Amino acid sequence: MAKAKTTAFFCKECGYESAKWTGQCPACRAWNTMVEEPVAKKESSRRIVPGAARQAAKPVKLSEVSIKEQDRISTGYRELDRVLGSGIVAGSLVLVGGDPGIGKSTILLQVCRNLAAAGHKILYISGEESLKQIKLRANRIGEISGELLFLCETNLDDIEGAIRETKPEVVIIDSIQTMYRDDVSSAPGSVSQVRESTNILLQIAKGMGISVFIVGHVTKEGVVAGPRVLEHMVDTVLYFEGERNASYRILRGVKNRFGSTNEIGVFEMQEQGLVEVENPSEYLLSGRPQEASGAVVACSIEGTRPILLEVQALVAQTNFGMARRTAAGTDYNRVNLLMAVLEKRCHYEMSRYDAYVNIAGGVRMNEPALDLAIVLALVSSLKDRPVNPKCIIFGEVGLSGEVRAVSMAEQRVREAAKLGFEACILPQVCLEKIKKAEGIRLYGVKNVREAITTI
Ligand code: TYD
Ligand code: MG
C-alpha cells in the first residue's frame, strides 16, 4: 500500500496546494512562494465542541428569516462604517489587511474604544503585543471606558474557551499569523495554521453570532502566509493602504458580502491615533500648484462617493530611441493606450517624448472616467500651457478618440461645484442628462480633439 502523504506544498500568497514543488505558483503566478508544510489532519475540519451538542441544521424559507435593524453596530467612524456597508454586521468575519506598522492595531483599538463606550462588550486578543504595550497605545488614543477586555494569547483552543466564557459581541484577533492550533503540526504563520485558525474563528462567528475582526499582515517575503490565503473564507476584506512616510491612510473594501466594494475610507495618522478625513477631495487637492502645466483636476467615483483628485503629467523630449513611460497611481497600459490615441487621432508625435503620469497624493485610482483628464494633462504638458485651475474634467476615452459617457455624472458635477470649481468638461452624452448645475459652467465634448480646443 502506498504511504499516505504527510506534507504538501502551499503558496504563501494565495494558499494554492500542490503535491510537488514549483518555482512559480500556478494559481497566482508569484515566484518563490511555494513552501512545504505538513498536511492538516482530515478530522480537524469537522470538530466536535465539547458541551455544545451538534444540531443538524434544518432547511428554512427566506421569509422566515428575520433581520433586525440593530444587527448592524456602528463603529463610531463614518468612514469605516461606509466601507463596512453601514456598520458591523453581527456574526460577520472581517479581515483587515495591510503592511506592518500601517495602523491596523491602532484603528481596531479605537473602534473597540468607541464600541465599549456605546455599551457593547468587546474582547481584544493580541498575540503580538503585551498588555503593557497595549496600554501605552491606549494612552495615546484617549480614555477607555466600558466593557473592553484584553487577552494576550496565541493558542486558539484557549481563545475559544475565553470567548465562550466572556460572550463578547465583538472579538478582535490581532494578527492571525501569530495564532496556532495544537492539532495542526506546522508552525504559526504557515498556510495551514492560518487557514485552520480562521476556520475556528469562522465557526465561532457564525455559531455564536459574534463579529470577529482578524488582522492579517501583508508579507512581501519571509515564512508567514499573507492575508490573501483567507480572502475566500471571510465575509469582508479591508485593506489599509498608504505610504508609510505619508500621514494619510486609505481603508479600501475589496470584498464585502454586506455592502458595496470599492468604497474607501480616508484617515490621517496623528499623535493621538487615526483621525477621519471628512472631505477627501479637499485633502487630495491641498497644496496644488496653480498655473502649472500638466496638472488637471479629475473626478473619480469610489463606491458611492465622488472624489476629486489631481492628475499630473510631465512630457519631455526623449534622449534615447525608446521613449520612457511611467504611470504612478494609475494603470500603465491605460496610459500607453491613451498616448496612442493622441498620436493617431490628434496627430501629436508622442513617440518622440518621454511621459510620466502621476495621481497626486499617492492614491491609486483606476476608473476609466480619468481618461480624459490624463489625455488633457499630457497635452497641457506637451504644449506647456496650463489648464484653468478652476476647471474639472472627466470622461472615458475610446480607441477612436471619442469621449464616452461615465456613470454618476451629476454627482461629480455637484461635488466640483461644492468645492468651488467654476467649469467642467464632460462627455456630451452626460451633459444632456444633467438637469441642473448651479454655479458651474458645463462644456460637453464628443471627442478628444473637441476637448483640446475647449481647454
Ligand atoms: P500599528 O497600529 O501598530 O500598526 P499595525 O498594527 O498595522 O502593524 O501602527 C503603528 C504606527 O502608527 C507606528 O508607526 C506609530 C504610529 N502611531 C501614530 O503615529 N500615532 C498614534 O497615536 C499611534 C497609536 C500610532
Ligand atoms: Mg499591530
Side-chain angles (χ1 to χ4, degrees), residues 80 83-84 93-100 102-108 111 171-177 212-218 226-228 230-231 234 236-241 250-254 274:
L80 181 57
V83 180
L84 286 169
L93 200 57
V94 181
L95 173 67
V96 181
D99 293 332
I102 200 150
K104 301 180 293 295
S105 308
T106 307
I107 187 89
L108 288 176
V111 167
V171 171
I172 313 284
I173 303 286
D174 198 346
S175 115
I176 190 70
Q177 280 108 345
V212 181
F213 283 78
I214 299 175
V215 171
H217 293 296
V218 171
R228 284 197 44 210
L230 351 154
E231 269 180 8
V234 300
T236 305
V237 179
L238 310 179
Y239 275 105
F240 240 123
E241 295 171 3
I250 290 177
L251 196 59
R252 189 185 292 274
V254 292
L274 285 155

mmCIF file of all heavy atoms in Angstrom, residues 80 83-84 93-100 102-108 111 171-177 212-218 226-228 230-231 234 236-241 250-254 274:
data_model
loop_
_atom_site.group_PDB
_atom_site.id
_atom_site.type_symbol
_atom_site.label_atom_id
_atom_site.label_comp_id
_atom_site.label_asym_id
_atom_site.label_seq_id
_atom_site.Cartn_x
_atom_site.Cartn_y
_atom_site.Cartn_z
ATOM 1 N N LEU A 80 -15.347 54.376 8.330
ATOM 2 C CA LEU A 80 -15.229 52.924 8.444
ATOM 3 C C LEU A 80 -16.590 52.252 8.238
ATOM 4 O O LEU A 80 -16.693 51.224 7.565
ATOM 5 C CB LEU A 80 -14.643 52.560 9.810
ATOM 6 C CG LEU A 80 -14.440 51.076 10.091
ATOM 7 C CD1 LEU A 80 -13.545 50.457 9.022
ATOM 8 C CD2 LEU A 80 -13.812 50.855 11.444
ATOM 9 N N VAL A 83 -17.308 51.819 4.574
ATOM 10 C CA VAL A 83 -16.554 50.740 3.940
ATOM 11 C C VAL A 83 -17.134 49.374 4.312
ATOM 12 O O VAL A 83 -17.195 48.459 3.511
ATOM 13 C CB VAL A 83 -15.059 50.827 4.324
ATOM 14 C CG1 VAL A 83 -14.270 49.730 3.671
ATOM 15 C CG2 VAL A 83 -14.500 52.169 3.915
ATOM 16 N N LEU A 84 -17.625 49.276 5.566
ATOM 17 C CA LEU A 84 -18.199 48.004 6.007
ATOM 18 C C LEU A 84 -19.609 47.806 5.463
ATOM 19 O O LEU A 84 -20.166 46.720 5.560
ATOM 20 C CB LEU A 84 -18.253 47.963 7.537
ATOM 21 C CG LEU A 84 -16.930 47.767 8.268
ATOM 22 C CD1 LEU A 84 -17.114 48.018 9.744
ATOM 23 C CD2 LEU A 84 -16.397 46.367 8.040
ATOM 24 N N LEU A 93 -17.311 37.987 9.716
ATOM 25 C CA LEU A 93 -15.877 37.780 9.865
ATOM 26 C C LEU A 93 -15.194 38.794 8.950
ATOM 27 O O LEU A 93 -15.403 38.778 7.742
ATOM 28 C CB LEU A 93 -15.553 36.351 9.429
ATOM 29 C CG LEU A 93 -14.265 35.714 9.888
ATOM 30 C CD1 LEU A 93 -14.197 35.709 11.402
ATOM 31 C CD2 LEU A 93 -14.181 34.287 9.373
ATOM 32 N N VAL A 94 -14.441 39.706 9.530
ATOM 33 C CA VAL A 94 -13.846 40.793 8.749
ATOM 34 C C VAL A 94 -12.333 40.664 8.805
ATOM 35 O O VAL A 94 -11.758 40.516 9.879
ATOM 36 C CB VAL A 94 -14.263 42.174 9.302
ATOM 37 C CG1 VAL A 94 -13.663 43.286 8.473
ATOM 38 C CG2 VAL A 94 -15.773 42.298 9.351
ATOM 39 N N LEU A 95 -11.698 40.704 7.642
ATOM 40 C CA LEU A 95 -10.245 40.643 7.586
ATOM 41 C C LEU A 95 -9.711 42.044 7.327
ATOM 42 O O LEU A 95 -10.128 42.711 6.382
ATOM 43 C CB LEU A 95 -9.828 39.691 6.450
ATOM 44 C CG LEU A 95 -8.352 39.615 6.112
ATOM 45 C CD1 LEU A 95 -7.579 39.002 7.259
ATOM 46 C CD2 LEU A 95 -8.136 38.802 4.853
ATOM 47 N N VAL A 96 -8.802 42.497 8.182
ATOM 48 C CA VAL A 96 -8.178 43.804 7.980
ATOM 49 C C VAL A 96 -6.717 43.548 7.626
ATOM 50 O O VAL A 96 -5.941 43.110 8.465
ATOM 51 C CB VAL A 96 -8.287 44.680 9.242
ATOM 52 C CG1 VAL A 96 -7.654 46.040 9.003
ATOM 53 C CG2 VAL A 96 -9.733 44.844 9.651
ATOM 54 N N GLY A 97 -6.366 43.791 6.380
ATOM 55 C CA GLY A 97 -5.004 43.522 5.927
ATOM 56 C C GLY A 97 -4.228 44.803 5.756
ATOM 57 O O GLY A 97 -4.804 45.886 5.704
ATOM 58 N N GLY A 98 -2.920 44.678 5.639
ATOM 59 C CA GLY A 98 -2.092 45.859 5.417
ATOM 60 C C GLY A 98 -0.662 45.592 5.824
ATOM 61 O O GLY A 98 -0.378 44.621 6.526
ATOM 62 N N ASP A 99 0.227 46.465 5.378
ATOM 63 C CA ASP A 99 1.635 46.314 5.727
ATOM 64 C C ASP A 99 1.812 46.467 7.232
ATOM 65 O O ASP A 99 1.023 47.156 7.875
ATOM 66 C CB ASP A 99 2.463 47.399 5.031
ATOM 67 C CG ASP A 99 2.468 47.196 3.527
ATOM 68 O OD1 ASP A 99 2.334 46.045 3.103
ATOM 69 O OD2 ASP A 99 2.596 48.192 2.804
ATOM 70 N N PRO A 100 2.868 45.863 7.784
ATOM 71 C CA PRO A 100 3.129 46.054 9.212
ATOM 72 C C PRO A 100 3.364 47.538 9.520
ATOM 73 O O PRO A 100 4.000 48.230 8.723
ATOM 74 C CB PRO A 100 4.401 45.245 9.453
ATOM 75 C CG PRO A 100 4.460 44.274 8.337
ATOM 76 C CD PRO A 100 3.795 44.910 7.172
ATOM 77 N N ILE A 102 1.196 50.006 9.618
ATOM 78 C CA ILE A 102 0.384 50.990 8.895
ATOM 79 C C ILE A 102 -0.755 51.518 9.760
ATOM 80 O O ILE A 102 -1.305 52.580 9.487
ATOM 81 C CB ILE A 102 -0.121 50.384 7.567
ATOM 82 C CG1 ILE A 102 -0.520 51.501 6.598
ATOM 83 C CG2 ILE A 102 -1.265 49.417 7.775
ATOM 84 C CD1 ILE A 102 -0.331 51.136 5.178
ATOM 85 N N GLY A 103 -1.104 50.790 10.819
ATOM 86 C CA GLY A 103 -2.132 51.315 11.734
ATOM 87 C C GLY A 103 -3.324 50.399 11.940
ATOM 88 O O GLY A 103 -4.375 50.837 12.374
ATOM 89 N N LYS A 104 -3.155 49.111 11.671
ATOM 90 C CA LYS A 104 -4.282 48.173 11.831
ATOM 91 C C LYS A 104 -4.668 48.041 13.298
ATOM 92 O O LYS A 104 -5.843 48.137 13.656
ATOM 93 C CB LYS A 104 -3.910 46.793 11.264
ATOM 94 C CG LYS A 104 -3.548 46.801 9.804
ATOM 95 C CD LYS A 104 -3.205 45.438 9.299
ATOM 96 C CE LYS A 104 -1.933 44.857 9.883
ATOM 97 N NZ LYS A 104 -0.710 45.592 9.526
ATOM 98 N N SER A 105 -3.661 47.829 14.154
ATOM 99 C CA SER A 105 -3.967 47.687 15.580
ATOM 100 C C SER A 105 -4.545 48.981 16.115
ATOM 101 O O SER A 105 -5.458 48.967 16.944
ATOM 102 C CB SER A 105 -2.697 47.345 16.361
ATOM 103 O OG SER A 105 -2.053 46.251 15.788
ATOM 104 N N THR A 106 -4.032 50.108 15.645
ATOM 105 C CA THR A 106 -4.497 51.400 16.133
ATOM 106 C C THR A 106 -5.966 51.607 15.812
ATOM 107 O O THR A 106 -6.755 51.932 16.698
ATOM 108 C CB THR A 106 -3.647 52.528 15.520
ATOM 109 O OG1 THR A 106 -2.284 52.241 15.758
ATOM 110 C CG2 THR A 106 -4.005 53.866 16.096
ATOM 111 N N ILE A 107 -6.354 51.393 14.558
ATOM 112 C CA ILE A 107 -7.757 51.660 14.195
ATOM 113 C C ILE A 107 -8.677 50.700 14.938
ATOM 114 O O ILE A 107 -9.729 51.103 15.425
ATOM 115 C CB ILE A 107 -7.973 51.601 12.663
ATOM 116 C CG1 ILE A 107 -9.397 52.039 12.300
ATOM 117 C CG2 ILE A 107 -7.810 50.215 12.081
ATOM 118 C CD1 ILE A 107 -9.556 53.465 12.083
ATOM 119 N N LEU A 108 -8.259 49.446 15.091
ATOM 120 C CA LEU A 108 -9.142 48.496 15.766
ATOM 121 C C LEU A 108 -9.286 48.826 17.247
ATOM 122 O O LEU A 108 -10.358 48.687 17.815
ATOM 123 C CB LEU A 108 -8.635 47.067 15.553
ATOM 124 C CG LEU A 108 -8.844 46.577 14.110
ATOM 125 C CD1 LEU A 108 -8.242 45.210 13.899
ATOM 126 C CD2 LEU A 108 -10.328 46.537 13.758
ATOM 127 N N VAL A 111 -11.716 51.602 17.421
ATOM 128 C CA VAL A 111 -13.077 51.110 17.218
ATOM 129 C C VAL A 111 -13.574 50.437 18.504
ATOM 130 O O VAL A 111 -14.699 50.657 18.940
ATOM 131 C CB VAL A 111 -13.113 50.134 16.025
ATOM 132 C CG1 VAL A 111 -14.418 49.376 15.987
ATOM 133 C CG2 VAL A 111 -12.910 50.883 14.726
ATOM 134 N N VAL A 171 -15.098 40.482 18.690
ATOM 135 C CA VAL A 171 -13.782 39.955 19.059
ATOM 136 C C VAL A 171 -12.768 40.458 18.034
ATOM 137 O O VAL A 171 -13.040 40.482 16.843
ATOM 138 C CB VAL A 171 -13.803 38.408 19.052
ATOM 139 C CG1 VAL A 171 -12.401 37.853 19.224
ATOM 140 C CG2 VAL A 171 -14.711 37.874 20.135
ATOM 141 N N ILE A 172 -11.611 40.895 18.533
ATOM 142 C CA ILE A 172 -10.528 41.301 17.637
ATOM 143 C C ILE A 172 -9.405 40.282 17.783
ATOM 144 O O ILE A 172 -9.008 39.957 18.901
ATOM 145 C CB ILE A 172 -9.961 42.691 18.031
ATOM 146 C CG1 ILE A 172 -11.068 43.694 18.290
ATOM 147 C CG2 ILE A 172 -8.948 43.172 17.008
ATOM 148 C CD1 ILE A 172 -11.753 44.246 17.116
ATOM 149 N N ILE A 173 -8.918 39.767 16.683
ATOM 150 C CA ILE A 173 -7.774 38.849 16.717
ATOM 151 C C ILE A 173 -6.609 39.609 16.117
ATOM 152 O O ILE A 173 -6.558 39.831 14.909
ATOM 153 C CB ILE A 173 -8.049 37.583 15.883
ATOM 154 C CG1 ILE A 173 -9.305 36.860 16.351
ATOM 155 C CG2 ILE A 173 -6.840 36.663 15.882
ATOM 156 C CD1 ILE A 173 -9.161 36.125 17.649
ATOM 157 N N ASP A 174 -5.679 40.060 16.965
ATOM 158 C CA ASP A 174 -4.579 40.854 16.416
ATOM 159 C C ASP A 174 -3.437 39.957 16.052
ATOM 160 O O ASP A 174 -2.660 39.506 16.860
ATOM 161 C CB ASP A 174 -4.147 41.977 17.360
ATOM 162 C CG ASP A 174 -3.351 43.028 16.602
ATOM 163 O OD1 ASP A 174 -2.929 42.734 15.471
ATOM 164 O OD2 ASP A 174 -3.168 44.131 17.132
ATOM 165 N N SER A 175 -3.445 39.742 14.939
ATOM 166 C CA SER A 175 -2.823 39.098 13.829
ATOM 167 C C SER A 175 -2.998 37.591 13.840
ATOM 168 O O SER A 175 -2.603 36.873 14.759
ATOM 169 C CB SER A 175 -1.408 39.581 13.705
ATOM 170 O OG SER A 175 -0.511 38.574 13.922
ATOM 171 N N ILE A 176 -3.626 37.173 12.792
ATOM 172 C CA ILE A 176 -3.907 35.759 12.567
ATOM 173 C C ILE A 176 -2.601 34.987 12.391
ATOM 174 O O ILE A 176 -2.523 33.804 12.681
ATOM 175 C CB ILE A 176 -4.835 35.593 11.330
ATOM 176 C CG1 ILE A 176 -5.362 34.172 11.177
ATOM 177 C CG2 ILE A 176 -4.161 36.032 10.051
ATOM 178 C CD1 ILE A 176 -6.346 33.759 12.217
ATOM 179 N N GLN A 177 -1.561 35.679 11.988
ATOM 180 C CA GLN A 177 -0.292 34.982 11.748
ATOM 181 C C GLN A 177 0.396 34.535 13.030
ATOM 182 O O GLN A 177 1.348 33.766 12.985
ATOM 183 C CB GLN A 177 0.657 35.876 10.938
ATOM 184 C CG GLN A 177 0.341 35.872 9.462
ATOM 185 C CD GLN A 177 -0.275 37.166 8.991
ATOM 186 O OE1 GLN A 177 -0.715 37.965 9.797
ATOM 187 N NE2 GLN A 177 -0.319 37.362 7.698
ATOM 188 N N VAL A 212 -16.213 39.051 14.281
ATOM 189 C CA VAL A 212 -14.791 38.839 14.523
ATOM 190 C C VAL A 212 -13.986 39.642 13.509
ATOM 191 O O VAL A 212 -14.228 39.557 12.307
ATOM 192 C CB VAL A 212 -14.425 37.349 14.416
ATOM 193 C CG1 VAL A 212 -12.944 37.134 14.688
ATOM 194 C CG2 VAL A 212 -15.253 36.513 15.375
ATOM 195 N N PHE A 213 -13.067 40.457 14.007
ATOM 196 C CA PHE A 213 -12.128 41.181 13.140
ATOM 197 C C PHE A 213 -10.786 40.459 13.207
ATOM 198 O O PHE A 213 -10.271 40.221 14.294
ATOM 199 C CB PHE A 213 -11.926 42.623 13.627
ATOM 200 C CG PHE A 213 -13.064 43.529 13.268
ATOM 201 C CD1 PHE A 213 -14.231 43.495 13.986
ATOM 202 C CD2 PHE A 213 -12.955 44.398 12.191
ATOM 203 C CE1 PHE A 213 -15.283 44.318 13.659
ATOM 204 C CE2 PHE A 213 -14.006 45.227 11.857
ATOM 205 C CZ PHE A 213 -15.177 45.189 12.587
ATOM 206 N N ILE A 214 -10.246 40.121 12.055
ATOM 207 C CA ILE A 214 -8.963 39.439 12.009
ATOM 208 C C ILE A 214 -7.938 40.371 11.366
ATOM 209 O O ILE A 214 -8.179 40.901 10.290
ATOM 210 C CB ILE A 214 -9.066 38.156 11.163
ATOM 211 C CG1 ILE A 214 -10.086 37.200 11.764
ATOM 212 C CG2 ILE A 214 -7.718 37.485 11.037
ATOM 213 C CD1 ILE A 214 -10.322 35.987 10.908
ATOM 214 N N VAL A 215 -6.816 40.563 12.036
ATOM 215 C CA VAL A 215 -5.740 41.368 11.448
ATOM 216 C C VAL A 215 -4.821 40.436 10.688
ATOM 217 O O VAL A 215 -4.454 39.372 11.184
ATOM 218 C CB VAL A 215 -4.956 42.107 12.554
ATOM 219 C CG1 VAL A 215 -3.708 42.762 11.988
ATOM 220 C CG2 VAL A 215 -5.833 43.126 13.221
ATOM 221 N N GLY A 216 -4.476 40.791 9.481
ATOM 222 C CA GLY A 216 -3.537 39.981 8.693
ATOM 223 C C GLY A 216 -2.467 40.867 8.102
ATOM 224 O O GLY A 216 -2.767 41.846 7.433
ATOM 225 N N HIS A 217 -1.207 40.540 8.372
ATOM 226 C CA HIS A 217 -0.122 41.342 7.800
ATOM 227 C C HIS A 217 0.111 40.943 6.364
ATOM 228 O O HIS A 217 0.128 39.755 6.038
ATOM 229 C CB HIS A 217 1.185 41.123 8.563
ATOM 230 C CG HIS A 217 1.142 41.642 9.953
ATOM 231 N ND1 HIS A 217 0.988 42.970 10.223
ATOM 232 C CD2 HIS A 217 1.196 41.005 11.141
ATOM 233 C CE1 HIS A 217 0.976 43.133 11.528
ATOM 234 N NE2 HIS A 217 1.090 41.957 12.118
ATOM 235 N N VAL A 218 0.308 41.919 5.525
ATOM 236 C CA VAL A 218 0.725 41.628 4.159
ATOM 237 C C VAL A 218 2.227 41.412 4.209
ATOM 238 O O VAL A 218 2.956 42.224 4.759
ATOM 239 C CB VAL A 218 0.391 42.806 3.228
ATOM 240 C CG1 VAL A 218 1.019 42.599 1.868
ATOM 241 C CG2 VAL A 218 -1.102 42.960 3.104
ATOM 242 N N GLY A 226 0.332 35.218 3.679
ATOM 243 C CA GLY A 226 -0.328 36.510 3.532
ATOM 244 C C GLY A 226 -1.821 36.393 3.728
ATOM 245 O O GLY A 226 -2.379 35.304 3.706
ATOM 246 N N PRO A 227 -2.508 37.533 3.924
ATOM 247 C CA PRO A 227 -3.951 37.504 4.160
ATOM 248 C C PRO A 227 -4.754 37.036 2.946
ATOM 249 O O PRO A 227 -5.915 36.669 3.085
ATOM 250 C CB PRO A 227 -4.285 38.959 4.506
ATOM 251 C CG PRO A 227 -3.118 39.763 4.144
ATOM 252 C CD PRO A 227 -1.946 38.874 4.019
ATOM 253 N N ARG A 228 -4.146 37.013 1.767
ATOM 254 C CA ARG A 228 -4.903 36.593 0.598
ATOM 255 C C ARG A 228 -5.320 35.137 0.692
ATOM 256 O O ARG A 228 -6.277 34.717 0.073
ATOM 257 C CB ARG A 228 -4.076 36.824 -0.675
ATOM 258 C CG ARG A 228 -4.049 38.286 -1.047
ATOM 259 C CD ARG A 228 -3.604 38.484 -2.461
ATOM 260 N NE ARG A 228 -4.231 37.545 -3.364
ATOM 261 C CZ ARG A 228 -3.664 37.097 -4.472
ATOM 262 N NH1 ARG A 228 -2.464 37.501 -4.785
ATOM 263 N NH2 ARG A 228 -4.283 36.266 -5.260
ATOM 264 N N LEU A 230 -6.752 33.809 3.071
ATOM 265 C CA LEU A 230 -8.072 33.667 3.710
ATOM 266 C C LEU A 230 -9.166 34.484 3.072
ATOM 267 O O LEU A 230 -10.282 34.484 3.567
ATOM 268 C CB LEU A 230 -8.050 34.066 5.185
ATOM 269 C CG LEU A 230 -6.786 34.339 5.871
ATOM 270 C CD1 LEU A 230 -7.009 35.273 7.003
ATOM 271 C CD2 LEU A 230 -6.374 32.994 6.416
ATOM 272 N N GLU A 231 -8.855 35.206 2.012
ATOM 273 C CA GLU A 231 -9.868 36.100 1.448
ATOM 274 C C GLU A 231 -11.187 35.397 1.174
ATOM 275 O O GLU A 231 -12.250 35.955 1.380
ATOM 276 C CB GLU A 231 -9.346 36.740 0.159
ATOM 277 C CG GLU A 231 -8.647 38.056 0.417
ATOM 278 C CD GLU A 231 -8.120 38.693 -0.834
ATOM 279 O OE1 GLU A 231 -8.407 38.207 -1.936
ATOM 280 O OE2 GLU A 231 -7.400 39.696 -0.692
ATOM 281 N N VAL A 234 -13.600 34.702 4.512
ATOM 282 C CA VAL A 234 -14.209 35.734 5.349
ATOM 283 C C VAL A 234 -15.316 36.458 4.587
ATOM 284 O O VAL A 234 -15.450 36.311 3.380
ATOM 285 C CB VAL A 234 -13.138 36.737 5.827
ATOM 286 C CG1 VAL A 234 -12.078 36.051 6.631
ATOM 287 C CG2 VAL A 234 -12.520 37.457 4.657
ATOM 288 N N THR A 236 -15.852 39.919 4.739
ATOM 289 C CA THR A 236 -15.435 41.242 4.299
ATOM 290 C C THR A 236 -13.916 41.330 4.351
ATOM 291 O O THR A 236 -13.304 40.845 5.295
ATOM 292 C CB THR A 236 -16.038 42.321 5.230
ATOM 293 O OG1 THR A 236 -17.447 42.137 5.245
ATOM 294 C CG2 THR A 236 -15.741 43.715 4.753
ATOM 295 N N VAL A 237 -13.319 41.919 3.331
ATOM 296 C CA VAL A 237 -11.878 42.110 3.321
ATOM 297 C C VAL A 237 -11.603 43.604 3.177
ATOM 298 O O VAL A 237 -12.068 44.239 2.239
ATOM 299 C CB VAL A 237 -11.216 41.351 2.151
ATOM 300 C CG1 VAL A 237 -9.715 41.575 2.152
ATOM 301 C CG2 VAL A 237 -11.530 39.873 2.216
ATOM 302 N N LEU A 238 -10.879 44.151 4.126
ATOM 303 C CA LEU A 238 -10.492 45.562 4.067
ATOM 304 C C LEU A 238 -8.981 45.633 3.996
ATOM 305 O O LEU A 238 -8.292 44.907 4.713
ATOM 306 C CB LEU A 238 -10.951 46.322 5.318
ATOM 307 C CG LEU A 238 -12.404 46.184 5.746
ATOM 308 C CD1 LEU A 238 -12.623 46.988 7.010
ATOM 309 C CD2 LEU A 238 -13.323 46.650 4.648
ATOM 310 N N TYR A 239 -8.470 46.496 3.151
ATOM 311 C CA TYR A 239 -7.028 46.685 3.111
ATOM 312 C C TYR A 239 -6.675 48.114 3.475
ATOM 313 O O TYR A 239 -7.329 49.047 3.036
ATOM 314 C CB TYR A 239 -6.462 46.346 1.734
ATOM 315 C CG TYR A 239 -6.193 44.875 1.587
ATOM 316 C CD1 TYR A 239 -7.025 44.070 0.842
ATOM 317 C CD2 TYR A 239 -5.117 44.299 2.239
ATOM 318 C CE1 TYR A 239 -6.789 42.712 0.721
ATOM 319 C CE2 TYR A 239 -4.874 42.945 2.134
ATOM 320 C CZ TYR A 239 -5.704 42.160 1.377
ATOM 321 O OH TYR A 239 -5.467 40.819 1.279
ATOM 322 N N PHE A 240 -5.655 48.235 4.279
ATOM 323 C CA PHE A 240 -5.134 49.544 4.651
ATOM 324 C C PHE A 240 -4.050 49.903 3.660
ATOM 325 O O PHE A 240 -3.106 49.152 3.483
ATOM 326 C CB PHE A 240 -4.510 49.459 6.048
ATOM 327 C CG PHE A 240 -5.150 50.363 7.029
ATOM 328 C CD1 PHE A 240 -5.686 49.880 8.193
ATOM 329 C CD2 PHE A 240 -5.199 51.716 6.776
ATOM 330 C CE1 PHE A 240 -6.282 50.717 9.108
ATOM 331 C CE2 PHE A 240 -5.785 52.566 7.685
ATOM 332 C CZ PHE A 240 -6.329 52.071 8.858
ATOM 333 N N GLU A 241 -4.207 51.030 2.989
ATOM 334 C CA GLU A 241 -3.198 51.460 2.030
ATOM 335 C C GLU A 241 -2.611 52.779 2.483
ATOM 336 O O GLU A 241 -3.192 53.472 3.288
ATOM 337 C CB GLU A 241 -3.817 51.683 0.646
ATOM 338 C CG GLU A 241 -4.363 50.444 0.013
ATOM 339 C CD GLU A 241 -5.138 50.763 -1.243
ATOM 340 O OE1 GLU A 241 -5.200 51.937 -1.634
ATOM 341 O OE2 GLU A 241 -5.683 49.823 -1.826
ATOM 342 N N ILE A 250 -5.625 55.002 3.634
ATOM 343 C CA ILE A 250 -6.879 54.718 2.950
ATOM 344 C C ILE A 250 -7.295 53.292 3.258
ATOM 345 O O ILE A 250 -6.511 52.350 3.122
ATOM 346 C CB ILE A 250 -6.724 54.936 1.434
ATOM 347 C CG1 ILE A 250 -6.576 56.433 1.179
ATOM 348 C CG2 ILE A 250 -7.928 54.398 0.673
ATOM 349 C CD1 ILE A 250 -6.353 56.798 -0.226
ATOM 350 N N LEU A 251 -8.526 53.152 3.725
ATOM 351 C CA LEU A 251 -9.065 51.835 4.032
ATOM 352 C C LEU A 251 -9.969 51.462 2.872
ATOM 353 O O LEU A 251 -10.947 52.144 2.600
ATOM 354 C CB LEU A 251 -9.849 51.928 5.335
ATOM 355 C CG LEU A 251 -10.170 50.634 6.038
ATOM 356 C CD1 LEU A 251 -8.896 49.888 6.376
ATOM 357 C CD2 LEU A 251 -10.927 50.931 7.318
ATOM 358 N N ARG A 252 -9.621 50.401 2.168
ATOM 359 C CA ARG A 252 -10.370 50.060 0.964
ATOM 360 C C ARG A 252 -11.036 48.706 1.139
ATOM 361 O O ARG A 252 -10.411 47.754 1.594
ATOM 362 C CB ARG A 252 -9.389 50.000 -0.217
ATOM 363 C CG ARG A 252 -10.052 49.874 -1.567
ATOM 364 C CD ARG A 252 -9.007 49.711 -2.645
ATOM 365 N NE ARG A 252 -8.208 50.911 -2.851
ATOM 366 C CZ ARG A 252 -8.579 51.911 -3.659
ATOM 367 N NH1 ARG A 252 -9.708 51.854 -4.299
ATOM 368 N NH2 ARG A 252 -7.783 52.947 -3.822
ATOM 369 N N GLY A 253 -12.316 48.634 0.802
ATOM 370 C CA GLY A 253 -13.019 47.356 0.846
ATOM 371 C C GLY A 253 -12.811 46.629 -0.469
ATOM 372 O O GLY A 253 -13.108 47.174 -1.520
ATOM 373 N N VAL A 254 -12.267 45.412 -0.448
ATOM 374 C CA VAL A 254 -12.080 44.692 -1.711
ATOM 375 C C VAL A 254 -13.069 43.535 -1.836
ATOM 376 O O VAL A 254 -13.227 42.982 -2.905
ATOM 377 C CB VAL A 254 -10.643 44.163 -1.890
ATOM 378 C CG1 VAL A 254 -9.667 45.288 -2.064
ATOM 379 C CG2 VAL A 254 -10.233 43.277 -0.753
ATOM 380 N N LEU A 274 -5.628 57.524 14.728
ATOM 381 C CA LEU A 274 -6.133 57.846 13.397
ATOM 382 C C LEU A 274 -7.353 58.757 13.493
ATOM 383 O O LEU A 274 -8.225 58.541 14.328
ATOM 384 C CB LEU A 274 -6.515 56.554 12.673
ATOM 385 C CG LEU A 274 -5.320 55.747 12.186
ATOM 386 C CD1 LEU A 274 -5.683 54.289 12.055
ATOM 387 C CD2 LEU A 274 -4.808 56.275 10.874
#
